[in-house]
Amino acid sequence: MSAVAGKRIVLGVSGGIAAYKAVEVCRRLMDGGAHVLPVLTRGATRFVGRATFDALASEPVRMSLFDEDDPIPHTTLGQTADCVVVAPATARVIGAYAAGISSDLLTATLLATRAPVVICPAMHTEMWEHPAVAANVATLIQRGVHVVGPEAGLLAGGDEGLGRLSSPGDIVAALGRILAQAANPPSETPDMVGLSVVITAGGTREPMDPIRYIGNRSSGKQGHAFADEAASRGAEVTIVTTVGRSGPPGATVVRVDTAAEMAAATTAAAADADMVIMAAAVADFRPVDPVGVKLKKRDGVPDVELEPTPDILAALGASKPEGQILVGFAAETCDVAANATAKLSGKGADYIVANDVTAENAGFAGDTNEVVVLASDGRMLPIGLRSKRDVARAVLDLVLADRKRRDGRQDPSSGGQEHSRYVSNTVSQEIQ
Ligand code: PMT
């Protein structure tokens, strides 16, 4: 799903020759599922027609502070927007915004919003490089405004240089990143800064022939929720995933299909990791010899010989570097506690997150989960039904509190005993 899908985006268009490219920005945002509210300056209408945006956008063009149905259009637009983007942004609009001057609906909306603002400047090189414009842009950047472009290239009148509006594709991609960042703000407790975490997500696919595979129902949501949570707490995240989803900003995403590919990518990434979280549903068996052409029905039921896949978690458990924390999962349909306990010791993990995948609103594909964390020291900590992100948060809270307790014990000056009792009580209360 596109990062702009379902977002209310005010598209400000000011008066420059590049305004025609705003039409394409509008179309791409609409294609991505955004709700686009166009705001044109009077100058913009000298370059593009109001009717074009009326036809393409989610709502009709707004231009004036006074003659619309809404008596206070700038505050309505500013307060309800998920993002305001100005493309192209002229020197005048940039200057007015930086100076806090609301001379028209667009500049008033810019001042009336707390949503992320993205300006995409476009002007001649001499104007872009003028100290006044440079100072205004610097002021806006300092205030947290995002600036996309300009680029070097052909300008109006046949000139060449820096000042060309970024391409509509680049503008929409930047908007997607900024919206994803806004939806996933850095944690208030960045307690994973300096930790590298490898996370697996999704279900592997083991080919039988070029079009059929043995797979499972994992959507990757639980694994990606761990990646989002760990990244928001400051961790350096590598996610090895079978699903076509982007990772959190700054994460390394490794796309794989099969258990063998996941094993190779995870083992390589895990060598230097502080923590590994195996949330993926890895196939236990794969066809020994996938055929190179489509199996034909007329040839009868295929006699597919299966072999075990590499057990990634067990291999990581057997070669775990000193201090690394290994978290496995157990997807179970019966005897959950017994099966998960057997996996905890059998695979050499520090924790197993036992997931009864038959429980209502838990397990595969949905947005919620309910699990019990088994720790290698015998504790069993239930995490009740909640969003997959909150499950990830609760598991990480527990693991990090244990890590802190362990480090405290190793530091004789820290009064480890008292500290340990306090932290483990806090964690138990938090996750009940
Ligand atoms: O992706 P979602 O739709 O959000 O669903 C989430 C989930 C149900 C997939 C997740 O919560 C979960 O339970 N993941 C583990 C699924 C699984 O494969 O469980 P298992 O009991 O078969 O495997 C035990 C552990 O060994 C797991 O950590 C698994 O990643 C690992 N394993 C399994 C087989 C194998 N060949 N190599 C492995 O490393």
Side-chain angles (χ1 to χ4, degrees):
M1 194 173 67
S2 154
V4 301
K7 301 294 182 191
R8 282 176 69 84
I9 298 179
V10 173
L11 172 60
V13 185
S14 56
I17 182 64
Y20 76 95
K21 290 192 195 166
V23 176
E24 179 64 9
V25 173
C26 179
R27 194 191 62 78
R28 284 178 184 244
L29 288 173
M30 293 297 293
D31 287 352
H35 187 93
V36 182
L37 303 116
V39 173
L40 269 59
T41 64
R42 209 155 290 286
T45 58
R46 291 186 172 265
F47 297 93
V48 278
R50 189 178 172 146
T52 311
F53 289 96
D54 279 342
L56 281 176
S58 312
E59 295 194 15
V61 166
R62 291 176 175 84
M63 286 188 63
S64 167
L65 276 161
F66 303 109
D67 61 4
E68 315 282 339
D69 296 342
D70 186 343
I72 40 171
H74 58 301
T75 51
T76 310
L77 284 166
Q79 287 167 356
T80 60
D82 291 306
C83 184
V84 179
V85 55
V86 186
T90 57
R92 180 191 72 79
V93 167
I94 291 170
Y97 184 27
I101 296 168
S102 57
S103 49
D104 58 13
L105 179 59
L106 178 57
T107 46
T109 304
L110 285 166
L111 297 180
T113 192
R114 290 189 176 150
V117 172
V118 184
I119 60 164
C120 310
M123 61 198 78
H124 258 73
T125 312
E126 294 82 351
M127 293 173 75
W128 174 247
E129 290 178 351
H130 191 284
V133 175
N136 287 334
V137 171
T139 300
L140 292 179
I141 290 172
Q142 239 171 32
R143 292 179 189 153
V145 171
H146 304 270
V147 179
V148 177
E151 290 173 8
L154 210 57
L155 305 170
D159 291 340
E160 258 189 78
L162 194 60
R164 192 177 156 87
L165 183 70
S166 290
S167 75
D170 286 350
I171 292 172
V172 173
L175 273 177
R177 282 194 301 275
I178 290 159
L179 283 163
Q181 233 162 30
N184 194 21
S187 164
E188 281 170 21
T189 50
D191 51 2
M192 295 184 77
V193 172
L195 293 183
S196 63
V197 183
V198 176
I199 298 159
T200 63
T204 63
R205 297 172 166 196
E206 311 303 328
M208 293 169 64
D209 69 13
I211 56 169
R212 300 186 183 88
Y213 57 83
I214 297 174
N216 61 66
R217 293 170 42 223
S218 172
S219 62
K221 286 182 182 174
Q222 186 62 80
H224 278 266
F226 269 98
D228 292 344
E229 177 61 19
S232 80
R233 293 166 83 145
E236 185 191 311
V237 171
T238 299
I239 180 156
V240 181
T241 178
T242 66
V243 300
R245 244 181 88 161
S246 53
T252 302
V253 180
V254 186
R255 265 283 284 122
V256 296
D257 270 323
T258 64
E261 289 168 5
M262 183 169 276
T266 307
T267 311
D272 301 321
D274 297 299
M275 195 185 294
V276 181
I277 301 172
M278 287 290 305
V282 187
D284 288 319
F285 305 102
R286 67 183 169 205
V288 172
D289 199 7
V291 291
V293 291
K294 184 185 170 193
L295 290 160
K296 289 284 178 212
K297 198 171 163 187
R298 63 167 179 262
D299 296 333
V301 177
D303 184 13
V304 179
E305 194 189 340
L306 300 178
E307 65 181 359
T309 55
D311 191 321
I312 309 166
L313 180 59
L316 292 174
S319 61
K320 201 158 74 76
E322 174 82 29
Q324 186 181 76
I325 298 167
L326 184 57
V327 182
F329 270 67
E332 304 297 343
T333 54
C334 62
D335 301 327
V336 178
N339 288 333
T341 306
K343 282 177 185 166
L344 181 64
S345 53
K347 300 204 186 209
D350 298 302
Y351 302 87
I352 284 283
V353 181
N355 204 166
D356 179 352
V357 292
T358 64
E360 206 173 330
N361 299 319
F364 292 99
D367 292 323
T368 55
N369 211 352
E370 184 176 4
V371 301
V372 179
V373 186
L374 311 186
S376 55
D377 61 8
R379 281 171 303 154
M380 288 178 75
L381 299 152
I383 299 175
L385 185 65
R386 61 195 69 186
S387 72
K388 285 185 171 170
R389 176 70 181 259
D390 285 346
V391 167
R393 184 171 300 131
V395 172
L396 289 176
D397 282 349
L398 167 70
V399 170
L400 292 169
D402 282 357
R403 181 176 183 271
K404 207 165 159 190
R405 181 167 53 134
R406 189 192 65 199
D407 292 351
R409 272 214 213 96
Q410 278 164 7
D411 175 3
S413 65
S414 71
Q417 283 275 305
E418 270 311 298
H419 176 66
S420 106
R421 208 173 304 134
Y422 168 74
V423 171
S424 77
N425 284 344
T426 312
V427 169
S428 309
Q429 279 163 16
E430 272 173 12
I431 68 175
Q432 291 303 322

